[in-house]
Amino acid sequence: MFSLKPLRHRTARTARTAAVGVLAAAACATVLSGSAGAIVNGSDSTESYPFMAVVPESAPDQGVLDANCGASLIDKQWVLTAAHCVQGEGLKLDGTVRIGSDHRKSGGTVRKIDRTFVHPGYVNGDNKAANKDDIALIRLDRPVTQKPIRIAEQAGRPGTPTRLLGFGTTVDTEFAFPDRLQQLNTRRGAESECAPGYADRTRLCTISTVPHAMACFGDSGGPQIRKGRDGRWELIGVTSGPGAPDVPCSQGPGLYTSAPAYAQWIHTTMRTRG
């Protein structure tokens, strides 16, 4: 649910197209990912992330034919993403998920989507406010061999070093999706570092440690990770949208749905719907 204000100078049709890509809120749904996604001013991935997943999407009615959202493999047959990436007017899922590749359209393992489960409390802020309960599960038709990422027990205190991953646009005002997976070093922000009413216990304010950088259109649903005590990556957040209204992606902050806050819903859904 990334703001479209930075695209204000573009044509009405382009703005509508951007909205759909952002409809998946912040980088999902085909061009989605707006303030937290292929990551503006990020860098090529420096290591393997077998849990990273990409969900191809489009919005044909708006002329958007090649977009995507991110996701995280949290079980051999389940990926976690943003609700706005799987539910939205005009949004069309490709019907597949690519897991474990550092390239947007090749490598890794491709599985068909069996079913999707959107959190029952999900509300799209429609670029005027933060999304609520912006989280969803995708059940794959068959298990994969890639190693899932575990969900952290806690998101960590403000200041905790984190990292964002995504295939979202690398340019604030354009839909320029990279072939190579992008990463960006960030930190947990205090609630006060996002706009009033945006961050809370379930929505993590995220601040880039690199100037003029943040997730953007197409990064929605992707992971925010941190190192656990054993040195392994843990999942703490799901890319949801910008952390303030009317701010270009690169100006930040970003807003992430807290995976630990929804751990019970996640595990209950997988257990009862698996």
Side-chain angles (χ1 to χ4, degrees):
M1 183 211 107
F2 287 99
S3 172
L4 298 179
K5 298 300 184 181
L7 304 180
R8 194 179 304 171
H9 66 283
R10 307 181 79 177
T11 66
R13 177 174 177 75
T14 300
R16 287 196 299 273
T17 297
V20 175
V22 161
L23 193 157
C28 212
T30 134
V31 163
L32 313 179
S33 271
S35 225
I39 304 176
V40 176
N41 288 327
S43 59
D44 288 349
S45 56
T46 57
E47 59 185 274
S48 175
Y49 301 100
F51 54 84
M52 180 66 200
V54 60
V55 184
E57 302 178 342
S58 62
D61 292 346
Q62 299 298 330
V64 182
L65 303 178
D66 181 20
N68 55 261
C69 266
S72 301
L73 182 74
I74 58 170
D75 178 88
K76 293 292 186 179
Q77 202 168 349
W78 293 84
V79 298
L80 187 68
T81 189
H84 75 257
C85 284
V86 299
Q87 179 176 298
E89 182 179 355
L91 176 64
K92 183 177 180 181
L93 298 181
D94 173 81
T96 65
V97 178
R98 186 181 300 278
I99 304 101
S101 178
D102 58 1
H103 291 277
R104 191 165 78 99
K105 291 189 172 185
S106 62
T109 300
V110 177
R111 288 286 185 265
K112 292 181 180 180
I113 294 175
D114 179 36
R115 295 185 65 185
T116 61
F117 301 91
V118 173
H119 192 283
Y122 167 61
V123 175
N124 191 319
D126 194 27
N127 301 310
K128 298 176 182 178
N131 292 330
K132 178 184 177 183
D133 297 331
D134 189 15
I135 195 165
L137 282 162
I138 295 176
R139 186 178 189 274
L140 308 175
D141 66 333
R142 290 176 293 146
V144 297
T145 59
Q146 281 83 2
K147 186 175 182 179
I149 187 171
R150 66 188 176 196
I151 296 175
E153 292 185 2
Q154 298 180 338
R157 297 178 179 179
T160 298
T162 63
R163 179 172 291 179
L164 311 182
L165 302 174
F167 289 100
T169 183
T170 56
V171 182
D172 260 337
T173 57
E174 298 177 16
F175 298 125
F177 299 111
D179 174 63
R180 178 72 178 273
L181 178 65
Q182 299 292 291
Q183 65 182 44
L184 177 67
N185 289 333
T186 53
R187 64 171 173 82
R188 278 254 8 238
E191 292 182 10
S192 61
E193 292 184 89
C194 277
Y198 271 63
D200 56 27
R201 183 185 68 84
T202 66
R203 298 177 294 199
L204 310 178
C205 187
T206 300
I207 308 297
S208 174
T209 59
V210 177
H212 309 300
M214 184 44 67
C216 203
F217 306 111
D219 286 320
S220 290
Q224 179 178 28
I225 56 180
R226 73 165 191 175
K227 284 290 181 70
R229 292 180 179 178
D230 59 1
R232 292 194 300 169
W233 290 114
E234 297 179 334
L235 181 67
I236 68 165
V238 176
T239 307
S240 181
D246 304 335
V247 176
C249 298
S250 63
Q251 298 305 306
L255 198 65
Y256 285 71
T257 302
S258 171
Y262 291 91
Q264 183 174 352
W265 176 79
I266 292 168
H267 294 309
T268 298
T269 301
M270 292 193 300
R271 184 179 65 254
T272 60
R273 303 301 183 87

